[in-house]
Amino acid sequence: MAFWSSTSVFTSKVPRKILFMFTLSLSVTYLFYSLMSCYNSLQFPLQENYVYQGRLVTEETTFVTLREKLYSTSPQGYLDEELIEVTAAEKAVAISTVKDNVETEQRTLDWVRNQAAPTKTAAVYQSPALERERQEFSTTDNELRVNCTSDYGVKKLPQAIIIGVKKGGTRALLEALRVHPDIRAVGNEPHFFDRNYEKGLDWYRDLMPSTLEGQITMEKTPSYFVTSHAPKRIHTMARDIKLIIVVRNPVTRAISDYTQTLSKKPEIPTFEVLAFKNRTLGLIDASWSALRIGIYALHLETWMQYFPLAQMHFVSGERLIVDPAGEMGKVQDFLGLKRIVTDKHFYFNKTKGFPCLKKPEDSSTPRCLGKSKGRTHPKIDPDVIRRLHKFFKPFNMMFYQMTGQNFEWELEEGSDSRGSQN
């Protein structure tokens, strides 16, 4: 009774209009907070579903589907073995979320059926997960930078480069590596670090093919190995890059180099004339590029000022011919890849004198190197061959010590004058 009496006294003293406005204000405030609470409870699950959808499409669907598109020329068995892996925890989250949200599942299935239409692909790349991934590839001087393209994947600066040597077997190695589904390589030699450096890294990166997550971008330019400023420039771009050097008996390599030049310029002097400053005195002209390239220890010393041997892999040009699968296995190990390119990918071409890649299942022509490879060497005076072997021997021994590998070139003395090929 006391409460009601006090309330009556209060209401009698306060004008009814003010009391009405006060009550209305309280009601509106309560309604506003109620609506906000309801809105938040509805909004959060939708955001979670969007993030989930982006992750599911990105990690499980996109890379699998696009890998099959990019490597449709490869045998299907390789695709089955090299699909992008998703951890067990991520799969569990995906399965659980799909069960909780049928609508999201249906949208994902529709996306798969349409095989990543361009409009939907653009939406996928806007997902928070991919945005974070894109930001992780910063544009600092010493890190690999990426550039999203209209094609599937992104363009990256190379993580591995075949830097040499000329006429050592670099083209054969590159073509064999391109069979691997996790390697994407430039076909032509960019010559960025020796001829086009002033064009900048963006120009260089734009030459690279688009790659998916887990794939390695590569290029090969054999002249890098003998270019004095190339090691520093490559180190500035990516100090952790992997370098592949294909080496060959320097005498045989020099003859092959000369043979290539002779096919373009038949008027040049003979090999014997170019190899000596004074043949009577036995003074070999080490400034001639065909011979200078073969002083591998001299060039390697420059590279070792910037890169440790652990980041270099040396391929024997001779073994690449007689045992291509064996050398390819070592290269794949060095690159951290599964051994997919094996002996079943090669056959020996008796006409050319070196292995060729077997014909792909969906191609009408075999993949063999062109007419510029496998030329017959001119016959060279045996005395010149003997003198060149003697000249290169101390440099070869030094090279063996530096690399920790014995290429056994001294066992080949006398074989270079018998009209070999390559």
Side-chain angles (χ1 to χ4, degrees):
M1 293 297 293
F3 173 78
W4 288 112
S5 61
S6 62
T7 304
S8 300
V9 173
F10 175 78
T11 55
S12 63
K13 292 182 179 180
V14 179
R16 291 185 176 182
K17 184 178 293 187
I18 296 176
L19 183 61
F20 173 78
M21 294 297 294
F22 178 76
T23 305
L24 181 61
S25 176
L26 288 176
S27 301
V28 171
T29 302
Y30 176 79
L31 179 62
F32 175 79
Y33 280 105
S34 299
L35 290 175
M36 286 297 295
S37 177
C38 180
Y39 173 80
N40 290 335
S41 65
L42 292 174
Q43 187 72 5
F44 290 159
L46 291 177
Q47 291 177 345
E48 292 172 357
N49 289 337
Y50 174 72
V51 174
Y52 155 71
Q53 185 183 5
R55 186 181 68 226
L56 178 64
V57 172
T58 298
E59 294 181 1
E60 288 198 70
T61 307
T62 306
F63 291 139
V64 172
T65 303
L66 304 187
R67 183 183 288 271
E68 291 176 352
K69 282 179 174 289
L70 286 173
Y71 297 105
S72 58
T73 58
S74 301
Q76 188 61 39
Y78 306 153
L79 296 176
D80 295 338
E81 294 176 357
E82 294 299 302
L83 298 181
I84 295 297
E85 295 181 357
V86 180
T87 64
E90 290 173 330
K91 289 183 178 179
V93 172
I95 294 172
S96 174
T97 311
V98 169
K99 290 181 179 179
D100 294 338
N101 197 320
V102 178
E103 182 180 357
T104 301
E105 180 183 13
Q106 186 60 45
R107 287 200 300 268
T108 302
L109 292 175
D110 292 340
W111 188 91
V112 175
R113 293 192 187 99
N114 292 329
Q115 293 187 349
T119 55
K120 295 187 179 181
T121 302
V124 169
Y125 279 109
Q126 295 171 2
S127 70
L130 282 187
E131 180 63 18
R132 288 194 301 270
E133 180 181 345
R134 183 188 67 79
Q135 292 175 354
E136 289 175 359
F137 290 95
S138 62
T139 56
T140 58
D141 290 339
N142 295 325
E143 294 180 348
L144 299 181
R145 297 182 288 173
V146 302
N147 178 36
C148 292
T149 67
S150 57
D151 297 328
Y152 299 126
V154 293
K155 289 192 174 186
K156 303 178 184 178
L157 293 172
Q159 295 97 355
I161 303 179
I162 301 175
I163 60 173
V165 298
K166 179 183 179 183
K167 305 308 294 181
T170 57
R171 172 56 61 181
L173 176 64
L174 181 69
E175 291 305 315
L177 282 172
R178 293 174 77 180
V179 174
H180 200 293
D182 284 335
I183 291 180
R184 296 277 283 152
V186 182
N188 297 326
E189 297 175 2
H191 284 281
F192 175 65
F193 296 102
D194 58 350
R195 301 179 189 173
N196 298 300
Y197 194 66
E198 71 284 353
K199 295 182 179 179
L201 286 175
D202 289 336
W203 176 87
Y204 182 50
R205 181 181 56 201
D206 194 54
L207 298 178
M208 301 298 123
S210 299
T211 55
L212 302 177
E213 182 180 349
Q215 292 180 324
I216 295 176
T217 303
M218 290 188 64
E219 70 114 321
K220 78 109 177 169
T221 304
S223 56
Y224 290 163
F225 188 66
V226 297
T227 302
S228 59
H229 45 260
K232 182 178 180 180
R233 290 175 173 179
I234 294 178
H235 185 268
T236 300
M237 178 191 73
R239 63 182 62 189
D240 60 346
I241 198 167
K242 294 185 176 182
L243 307 171
I244 301 175
I245 305 101
V246 188
V247 290
R248 183 183 181 189
N249 185 322
V251 178
T252 310
R253 198 221 64 81
I255 298 174
S256 181
D257 197 339
Y258 171 80
T259 303
Q260 178 176 333
T261 305
L262 183 65
S263 68
K264 301 175 182 178
K265 300 178 180 180
E267 71 279 4
I268 63 172
T270 64
F271 181 89
E272 290 84 349
V273 170
L274 293 173
F276 289 92
K277 287 185 177 180
N278 188 318
R279 186 174 177 181
T280 302
L281 298 177
L283 298 178
I284 292 175
D285 188 359
S287 65
W288 183 32
S289 62
L291 299 182
R292 181 175 54 85
I293 292 174
I295 309 176
Y296 303 136
L298 179 65
H299 307 300
L300 180 59
E301 187 177 21
T302 304
W303 286 90
M304 291 181 67
Q305 295 177 14
Y306 296 91
F307 297 98
L309 279 175
Q311 288 176 225
M312 303 182 198
H313 180 74
F314 299 91
V315 177
S316 168
E318 288 80 15
R319 288 196 291 268
L320 190 60
I321 294 175
V322 298
D323 182 21
E327 288 299 298
M328 283 301 303
K330 297 175 185 176
V331 175
Q332 291 171 93
D333 292 344
F334 171 70
L335 295 174
L337 299 175
K338 185 176 180 178
R339 289 194 176 192
I340 288 181
V341 184
T342 61
D343 53 0
K344 64 182 179 182
H345 289 88
F346 300 95
Y347 75 95
F348 190 81
N349 188 310
K350 295 181 180 180
T351 302
K352 289 184 171 292
F354 54 76
C356 295
L357 292 167
K358 289 183 179 179
K359 182 176 66 175
E361 294 180 0
D362 58 349
S363 175
S364 58
T365 57
R367 296 179 59 183
C368 204
L369 300 182
K371 295 180 180 179
S372 63
K373 309 297 180 181
R375 298 186 183 97
T376 300
H377 290 176
K379 292 184 178 180
I380 308 297
D381 186 340
D383 180 63
V384 173
I385 298 294
R386 181 185 60 79
R387 292 190 182 191
L388 288 178
H389 274 292
K390 185 178 181 180
F391 167 78
F392 280 113
K393 186 172 182 177
F395 297 109
N396 292 344
M397 294 296 105
M398 187 181 301
F399 184 66
Y400 297 168
Q401 292 180 353
M402 295 171 72
T403 61
Q405 300 180 45
N406 185 350
F407 294 91
E408 300 181 340
W409 291 322
E410 288 66 38
L411 301 179
E412 302 175 25
E413 293 186 25
S415 64
D416 301 284
S417 62
R418 293 195 290 267
S420 58
Q421 293 182 325
N422 215 345

